[in-house]
Amino acid sequence: MHEQLIANIRKRVSVSPEELESIKHFFIPKKIRKRQYFLNAGDVTRHTAFVEKGLLRSFSIDDSAHEHVVQFAPEGWWITDMCSFLSGDEAVYNIEALEDSELLLLTKQAMDEMLEQHPKMERFFRLLMQNSIIALQRRIVGTLSLSAEEKYKRMMHLYPDILQRAPQQHIASFLGITPETLSRVRKQVSIGKQG
Amino acid sequence: MHEQLIANIRKRVSVSPEELESIKHFFIPKKIRKRQYFLNAGDVTRHTAFVEKGLLRSFSIDDSAHEHVVQFAPEGWWITDMCSFLSGDEAVYNIEALEDSELLLLTKQAMDEMLEQHPKMERFFRLLMQNSIIALQRRIVGTLSLSAEEKYKRMMHLYPDILQRAPQQHIASFLGITPETLSRVRKQVSIGKQG
DNA sequence: AACTAATCTTGATCTACATCAAGTTCTTTC
DNA sequence: GAAAGAACTTGATGTAGATCAAGATTAGTT
């Protein structure tokens, strides 16, 4: 149940088997079925989730009732509404399971205790966040500078896996284009490949 | 010379005056004049910069030679090309001073030593990055969901200071619109106010 | 102070993508 | 396994904002 988590931690910091054993116990396993919501915008979440298995998405809904996918979280990724989790604010994002998923949940309190007992984990989370920032900055530039087709092609090589697993409407939303445009772009790209 | 830095650290973690004194010495003060580049895309940077005074911007240049402002950094903010700083990759962003500025530079090595000697700073940087992530996610959603006018108004209340200090072409680029559109939006908004 | 160059404004035109609409295919579910 | 409902495709039309172009301000330099 904790394989992905352990691999995820080991990738960034060196921890002894004993430490890992202790760290594991701060997490609460939870299964969530496809289409179930892990978080509804407006609620306050006490948890941050590590995805052991499955796929989730976080998204906001704007005034025109359009959805905007903020993040996809497949195995090995973390997902929450950070503002709500850290500050107890009302969440602005919804989080939905796109597949039957297995999560490892961390409450704010458990996280603080864990960081207290295992200072190495401060470093772990810092490194994790550094990578997020790099990816988010790139996404902003991509959103501002690429055409619909370029955005799609970029996703093809950055996240080929998610492209296979997530419904196209959500991929379109993640890329900042409509499902119709994505459909046309896909046709275009597939013709370009064979022709 | 370190007032902003000290305030910035104190805001997030509690540190003794002695610790602060030690921490200060990991930073190298540097002045940079308006229009000077702190970093050129393609170079590798050894430094991350804390802005004591002044204003900088980081930006990328796309294939059509358009600039895209990734970040503005006024007093109290940090700026670098993270990927280059952390991994020694070639920088993808340029960093330019928009005003005569005073920076406090941290090399990767100094940062690692500082984190070693002052584990509290791990926490400090983690908290700093959490805030960045929250802001970046919001910016992505804003970029995808708001009209040009809404983007401008949002900036008016999120960063009124930068709106005053940075040239409009760079603000337009930050918002993902052209300078012409920004000019029209500003006219529109100012008419709306009085009329 | 006058010259130069950058920045900002305004108008006319163009275009990538959104929107609307109607059909098709794939998924649930009972 | 048939019916209902999502999700995807395709075409026709609309539009926000880009691009192009030319003038008006503003700022920097000698």
Side-chain angles (χ1 to χ4, degrees), chain B residues 4-18:
Chain B
Q4 287 281 347
L5 178 67
I6 289 168
N8 199 257
I9 295 172
R10 280 237 167 100
K11 196 168 67 186
R12 294 194 173 80
V13 291
S14 65
V15 279
S16 67
E18 299 76 47

Side-chain angles (χ1 to χ4, degrees), chain B residues 34 147-148 177-178 180-181 184:
Chain B
K34 185 169 173 173
S147 67
I177 61 182
T178 57
E180 292 95 329
T181 295
R184 285 183 251 261

Side-chain angles (χ1 to χ4, degrees), chain A residues 19-141:
Chain A
E19 276 176 306
L20 269 180
E21 203 51 42
S22 160
I23 287 166
K24 267 164 69 168
H25 289 95
F26 289 96
F27 291 84
I28 305 153
K30 180 185 165 101
K31 297 198 182 202
I32 180 168
R33 305 213 57 199
K34 187 169 173 172
R35 269 170 232 280
Q36 291 306 111
Y37 276 46
F38 172 67
L39 175 63
N40 293 294
D43 291 355
V44 174
T45 185
R46 296 174 54 244
H47 301 103
T48 202
F50 176 81
V51 184
E52 264 290 320
K53 183 166 168 297
L55 177 65
L56 291 87
R57 67 168 179 138
S58 62
F59 64 102
S60 74
I61 300 179
D62 69 23
D63 299 341
S64 324
H66 287 109
E67 294 185 0
H68 302 280
V69 173
V70 175
Q71 188 197 348
F72 288 111
E75 301 79 9
W77 290 62
W78 297 76
I79 193 164
T80 190
D81 183 303
M82 246 195 198
C83 218
S84 180
F85 173 67
L86 294 172
S87 322
D89 297 348
E90 290 187 5
V92 293
Y93 304 128
N94 303 274
I95 301 179
E96 181 198 9
L98 298 179
E99 300 175 357
D100 292 350
S101 303
E102 294 177 21
L103 309 179
L104 293 170
L105 304 186
L106 198 55
T107 64
K108 184 74 166 58
Q109 197 191 332
M111 186 170 174
D112 287 342
E113 282 173 26
M114 183 174 74
L115 291 171
E116 186 97 1
Q117 289 180 37
H118 305 279
K120 276 177 190 172
M121 292 304 283
E122 286 276 7
R123 184 176 170 79
F124 168 76
F125 283 109
R126 180 172 63 79
L127 295 173
L128 196 68
M129 290 185 188
Q130 275 176 2
N131 289 334
S132 289
I133 290 174
I134 291 170
L136 287 168
Q137 286 183 341
R138 283 190 187 151
R139 184 166 166 209
I140 287 172
V141 172

